[in-house]
Each structure stands twice: as structure tokens, then as C-alpha cells.
Amino acid sequence: MKKLLLLTVLLGFSFHGFSQDDKDLNASMKVQDSVKVQEKWSAANGIKFGVRGGYTISHLDFESEPIGDNKHRNSMYIGFTAHMFVSRTLSIVPEIQFSAEGAREETLNLDYIQMPVLFRFRFSEKFHASLGPQIGLKVHKVDDGMKNLGYSGVIGADYKINYAIYVEARYNYGLRNVFDEYLDMNAKNRNIQLGVGYKF
């Protein structure tokens, strides 16, 4: 009888020890899972670099009768981006890009190195909208009667295809007359950009 009682007590302690080990293991796994989630969010809080490019449809909006043949210019843009995450719903996106703009007539072509700084808002896992100011430095031409600097406002939206690729659309609204004052003409640059982006 004493031997049976002793065996029962030993089995009870063994079972309790195994149960405690299982609880410790489960608690350890939960901690590791929590750490993984935190690491994922911490990574998202950093900076992600990327590239973007696509199609530009541009024209000059004249205040009076346009000069020459003021048709739309269809061309391209390509650039680099940096997504700096402030929170889950907001990021700041400075960029640098080449954008062929202006009108179709060669004398009205405007090629810029654009430097927008956008505020990008997350509305869902897939959909984002952005807006912000942009400054452009004219390239390829000098002393052509057009200002070397341009200022514009940008509004856009993008849709995420997967973790790296997204499609985008933007409207750039020129805020400054593109002509030098001595020409006594006034026109502002307007364009639409349609393209794709890739985040590394």
C-alpha cells in the first residue's frame, strides 16, 4: 500500500512538471510571436526606397490666346522615391524625377528635374492618396524666354498590386508663369502622370 501511494505521488509530480514545461513553452512562443510583430512594424517605420516611371500627358494653360500650336505633349517620367513612415497611416515621400512637360511644339517643350515632397495617406491596405508641393529645375535649354524654375502642387493616388509594386496616377498643377516677364505672356504648366512604382 505504501509503495502504491509513493508511486502515485511521483507520477503526480512528473505530470505537474511536464504541464509546467508546456506552459513555459507556450508563453515563450507567444513572446517570440509578439517580437516578430513588433519587428515587422519597426521595419515599416523606417525608410523604403523605390523607383517610379510612366507616361506624362502635359499642356500649357495660357491666360490669353496661345502662341503657336498648343497641343498636348505626350512623353515620359522616371524617378526615385524615399518613403519615410511617420505612422501606420502617414508617410512623407521626397522624390527626384525627370519629367518631360510643356506643349508639343518644340519651342514650348519643358523638361524638368522635379523635386516633390508629398504627404502620403493610407486609406486601406491597398489604396493610398498623396499631396504636396513640387519644385522643378528646367534642363536642356537656356536663354529661351522660359523661367528656369517652376513651382506646382501635386495630388495623386496609388494602388498596391503586391508588397513591392503599385500603380499610380497624379495631377500636377503649375503655380508659376513659365515665361520670362519681358515676353508679356502668361501660361502655367499642367500635366497628368500615369505609371508604376517599385519599392525595394
Side-chain angles (χ1 to χ4, degrees):
M1 186 66 179
K2 290 182 180 179
K3 290 182 180 179
L4 182 60
L5 182 60
L6 181 59
L7 182 60
T8 304
V9 171
L10 289 175
L11 286 174
F13 277 119
S14 299
F15 179 76
H16 177 73
F18 283 124
S19 299
Q20 189 63 38
D21 289 342
D22 289 340
K23 289 179 181 177
D24 292 342
L25 180 61
N26 290 335
S28 176
M29 291 176 67
K30 287 180 180 178
V31 170
Q32 289 176 359
D33 291 341
S34 299
V35 169
K36 286 179 181 179
V37 170
Q38 290 175 357
E39 287 176 350
K40 184 178 180 181
W41 169 236
S42 297
N45 270 335
I47 300 177
K48 289 186 178 179
F49 297 97
V51 294
R52 53 185 293 271
Y55 194 63
T56 300
I57 305 169
S58 179
H59 78 286
L60 293 178
D61 186 10
F62 282 84
E63 284 190 357
S64 57
E65 189 68 22
I67 61 171
D69 190 8
N70 185 33
K71 292 183 179 179
H72 289 81
R73 182 187 185 192
N74 301 325
S75 192
M76 50 80 70
Y77 71 92
I78 185 168
F80 301 93
T81 70
H83 294 254
M84 301 186 299
F85 293 87
V86 178
S87 69
R88 289 181 181 273
T89 57
L90 174 65
S91 56
I92 298 174
V93 186
E95 299 180 350
I96 185 167
Q97 65 179 4
F98 170 80
S99 183
E101 301 176 9
R104 184 185 299 179
E105 188 174 315
E106 198 279 332
T107 56
L108 299 178
N109 286 179
L110 292 169
D111 296 339
Y112 287 108
I113 298 297
Q114 301 275 23
M115 290 161 282
V117 178
L118 304 178
F119 297 92
R120 185 169 178 262
F121 303 92
R122 180 183 185 269
F123 289 100
S124 71
E125 176 64 25
K126 298 285 188 178
F127 181 74
H128 303 79
S130 55
L131 58 88
Q134 176 175 264
I135 184 171
L137 175 64
K138 190 183 70 176
V139 294
H140 296 152
K141 291 182 179 181
V142 294
D143 300 325
D144 59 348
M146 294 190 173
K147 292 185 173 72
N148 292 323
L149 287 178
Y151 306 106
S152 55
V154 180
I155 185 169
D158 64 82
Y159 184 82
K160 187 167 71 172
I161 303 299
N162 58 32
Y163 71 95
I165 301 173
Y166 59 91
V167 293
E168 65 174 3
R170 287 186 186 177
Y171 181 67
N172 300 320
Y173 185 87
L175 301 173
R176 189 187 194 197
N177 181 18
V178 299
F179 293 103
D180 288 329
E181 280 73 12
Y182 72 87
L183 292 177
D184 196 27
M185 289 187 296
N186 198 307
K188 294 184 173 65
N189 196 39
R190 313 275 195 256
N191 68 79
I192 296 171
Q193 293 182 336
L194 304 170
V196 297
Y198 184 90
K199 285 191 289 185
F200 300 106

